[in-house]
């Protein structure tokens, strides 16, 4: 059974290049009591993947007149889990190994996902790096697919999706007035978003540290923060946990730029904050349904509490406007581009990302209960976002069992000191706690 790619999925499929693969990732670190636990985990993943329909789906381009330039998901006739699950040699550094593996694009003629099992040299831990193409899965869908190959969990039953009525070849003439009004509304919304994108390119300068010519190299780093510390700050200053987590990124960038000599004065990079428009318990969570908020990170402000207040005010303005308006909603324009337009314009759209935003800061949902593989518990989970063309850094954040995990992805040549930025994240949390102390 084939499933046509939604417009935004098709956009992700077509903007990919060898230097900027459009896959997202997650590195799960497991504790074990056996040096063979990693090999056993690889066997389990391969055996379970064979029974997960979503992992058998490849993406195939179609050129028939009714879907010229489109693509579909369909079961791969020669699916072999061993093509996707790979056991590696023991490594002393999971993050360094993950960075090298995130460089490699997924094979486009197979179901676009991989699971890399990385045994630790200590003999009591291993990690699994999951990679999913963004056209196959967004963060929520990737979590669903990964959970299907981990140890069984008791999950709430999904809500059934109401069946869609079959589409006629021509619209019902009785609905033409409503269709015209809807089309005009869509055009107005598109113009509003386009104007907001243009305005967002004005104002304060960004920094060369956040933009780079693509090299295809990748480096990853991870930071773990105590969620209680985040709540301690939130209770003093107000706002949301997400406001605090974004403000931590702003403060860490300031510290990092100053330490490396680039300077933070006058720097206010545009951050894209993706917003999911999908209901989390749908029976068939296929297709990306994303909008976003766009905001200036107050990197130039030396006061940590003023930075947090600025982030909170910007997020409140975005929420008041809603995810369907403003420059951050530009992903919704994908719905108004025909399939052939995505095919032809994909490379141009990829290059436009640097004109739209400077850094991605995204939140990836994780369950509150413990994850296991072969009885071995997950102790850390670091999400990795795709790196857009012309940008050198992306930040993804997940909360798991009382701790916040920051996953940093960077162009390895543009940001050789990513570990310094990771340390700056930890230092910024401590700075906020001190600033909020009575």
């Amino acid at each position: 059974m084939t499933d046509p790619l939604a417009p935004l999925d098709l956009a992700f499929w077509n903007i990919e290049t060898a230097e900027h693969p459009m896959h997202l990732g997650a590195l799960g670190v497991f504790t074990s009591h056996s040096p063979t636990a990693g090999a056993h985990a690889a066997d389990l993943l391969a055996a379970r993947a064979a029974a997960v329909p979503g992992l058998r789906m490849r993406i195939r381009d179609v050129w028939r007149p009714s879907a010229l330039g489109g693509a579909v998901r369909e079961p791969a006739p020669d699916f072999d889990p061993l093509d996707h699950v790979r056991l590696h040699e023991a490594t002393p550094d999971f993050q360094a190994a993950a960075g090298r593996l995130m460089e490699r694009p997924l094979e486009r003629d197979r179901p676009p996902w991989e699971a890399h099992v990385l045994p630790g040299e200590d003999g009591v831990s291993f990690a699994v790096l999951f990679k999913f193409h963004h056209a196959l899965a967004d963060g929520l869908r990737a979590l669903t697919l990964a959970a299907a190959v981990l140890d069984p969990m008791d999950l709430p039953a999904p809500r059934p999706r109401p069946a869609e009525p079959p589409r006629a070849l021509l619209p019902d003439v009785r609905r033409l007035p409503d269709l015209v009004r809807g089309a005009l509304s869509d055009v107005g919304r598109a113009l509003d978003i386009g104007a907001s994108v243009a305005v967002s390119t004005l104002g304060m300068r960004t920094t060369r540290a956040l933009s780079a010519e693509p090299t295809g190299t990748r480096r990853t780093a991870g930071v773990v923060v105590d969620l209680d510390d985040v709540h301690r700050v939130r209770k003093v200053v107000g706002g949301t946990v997400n406001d605090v987590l974004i403000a931590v990124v702003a403060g860490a960038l300031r510290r990092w730029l100053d330490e490396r000599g680039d300077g933070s004065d006058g720097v206010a990079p545009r951050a894209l904050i993706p917003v999911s428009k999908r209901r989390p318990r749908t029976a068939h969570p296929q297709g990306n349904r994303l909008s976003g908020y766009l905001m200036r990170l107050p990197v130039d402000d030396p006061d940590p509490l003023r930075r947090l207040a600025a982030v909170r005010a910007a997020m409140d303005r975005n929420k008041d406007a809603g995810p369907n308006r403003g420059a951050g909603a530009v992903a919704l324009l994908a719905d108004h581009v025909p399939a052939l337009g995505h095919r032809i314009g994909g490379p141009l759209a990829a290059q436009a990302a640097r004109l739209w935003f400077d850094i991605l800061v995204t939140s990836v949902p994780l369950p509150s209960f413990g994850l296991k593989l072969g009885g071995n518990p997950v102790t850390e989970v670091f999400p990795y976002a795709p790196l857009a063309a012309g940008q050198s850094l992306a930040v993804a954040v997940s909360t798991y069992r009382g701790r916040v995990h920051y996953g940093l992805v960077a162009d390895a040549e543009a940001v050789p000191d990513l570990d310094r930025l990771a340390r700056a994240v930890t230092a910024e949390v401590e700075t906020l706690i001190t600033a909020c102390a009575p």
Side-chain angles (χ1 to χ4, degrees):
M1 179 179 179
T2 61
D3 176 31
L5 258 62
L8 188 54
D9 296 340
L10 190 61
F12 286 134
W13 188 244
N14 284 302
I15 66 177
E16 179 174 70
T17 66
E19 293 78 17
H20 286 280
M22 289 305 299
H23 56 252
L24 48 86
L27 180 72
V29 179
F30 298 77
T31 57
S32 66
H33 301 287
S34 168
T36 63
H40 178 56
D43 291 340
L44 283 176
L45 291 173
R48 292 171 179 174
V52 180
L55 296 178
R56 305 176 67 92
M57 304 298 282
R58 69 176 181 180
I59 296 177
R60 179 175 61 84
D61 296 331
V62 294
W63 293 98
R64 60 179 182 268
S66 60
L68 190 61
V72 296
R73 295 185 193 88
E74 65 180 10
D78 54 352
F79 175 70
D80 185 348
L82 296 180
D83 292 333
H84 304 265
V85 179
R86 294 157 193 181
L87 177 64
H88 296 260
E89 298 292 329
T91 177
D93 189 337
F94 293 139
Q95 289 289 348
R100 290 190 295 269
L101 291 169
M102 286 294 289
E103 289 182 7
R104 306 176 187 174
L106 295 165
E107 296 189 38
R108 292 170 67 93
D109 58 345
R110 293 175 176 170
W113 68 274
E114 292 173 351
H116 296 270
V117 182
L118 307 168
E121 280 191 346
D122 57 12
V124 294
S125 67
F126 67 91
V128 179
L129 173 66
F130 287 101
K131 294 168 56 178
F132 295 96
H133 198 287
H134 217 325
L136 179 71
D138 61 5
L140 183 59
R141 176 64 173 165
L143 172 62
T144 302
L145 292 173
V149 293
L150 297 179
D151 290 356
M153 298 175 291
D154 293 328
L155 296 174
R159 296 173 182 171
R161 183 173 62 176
E164 296 183 0
R167 295 183 179 180
L169 294 178
L170 295 174
D172 187 335
V173 294
R174 294 170 295 183
R175 298 183 58 234
L176 284 178
D178 290 337
L179 292 173
V180 171
R181 280 193 294 268
L184 291 175
S185 176
D186 288 345
V187 170
R189 187 182 306 117
L191 290 173
D192 177 67
I193 293 171
S196 298
V197 171
V199 170
S200 74
T201 63
L202 305 175
M204 301 180 75
R205 73 178 180 92
T206 182
T207 171
R208 288 180 297 175
L210 297 179
S211 61
E213 292 303 316
T215 68
T217 59
R218 291 292 180 272
R219 189 183 303 274
T220 64
V223 185
V224 180
V225 174
D226 195 317
L227 184 58
D228 286 342
D229 290 339
V230 178
H231 279 300
R232 192 182 313 169
V233 174
R234 180 191 61 80
K235 289 176 181 177
V236 172
V237 301
T240 68
V241 166
N242 202 40
D243 294 342
V244 178
L245 298 180
I246 296 171
V248 166
V249 174
L253 287 173
R254 177 182 176 83
R255 186 183 302 267
W256 174 62
L257 291 173
D258 287 344
E259 286 180 356
R260 73 197 321 245
D262 288 337
S264 57
D265 292 342
V267 175
R270 297 157 300 175
L272 176 64
I273 317 294
V275 177
S276 176
K277 292 174 62 64
R278 176 195 292 155
R279 295 178 180 177
R281 292 182 60 193
T282 54
H284 303 282
Q286 296 276 17
N288 283 278
R289 294 296 304 162
L290 292 174
S291 181
Y293 298 144
L294 198 68
M295 61 179 293
R296 293 275 183 178
L297 292 181
V299 172
D300 59 320
D301 195 321
D303 185 273
L305 295 184
R306 285 204 305 265
R307 287 196 296 267
L308 178 50
V311 167
R312 181 183 176 186
M315 288 298 288
D316 286 345
R317 289 193 296 271
N318 275 311
K319 292 172 185 175
D320 288 342
N324 294 327
R325 299 182 66 84
V330 71
L332 299 179
L333 296 180
D335 292 339
H336 306 285
V337 177
L340 190 58
H342 285 296
R343 179 80 59 182
I344 297 173
L348 294 176
Q351 294 302 318
R354 71 175 72 192
L355 302 177
W356 174 29
F357 64 96
D358 304 301
I359 183 172
L360 179 74
V361 183
T362 184
S363 178
V364 181
L366 287 177
S368 58
F369 42 83
L371 301 169
K372 295 182 178 180
L373 178 57
N376 303 295
V378 175
T379 56
E380 298 174 334
V381 185
F382 299 102
Y384 303 131
L387 198 59
Q391 295 164 349
S392 59
L393 177 67
V395 180
V397 190
S398 284
T399 300
Y400 176 70
R401 296 184 69 78
R403 300 199 296 175
V404 177
H405 294 76
Y406 282 88
L408 312 178
V409 177
D411 184 289
E413 293 190 18
V415 187
D417 57 344
L418 188 62
D419 289 342
R420 177 185 288 178
L421 177 59
R423 291 192 294 271
V425 170
T426 301
E428 181 62 16
V429 173
E430 295 171 353
T431 297
L432 280 170
I433 291 173
T434 301
C436 293

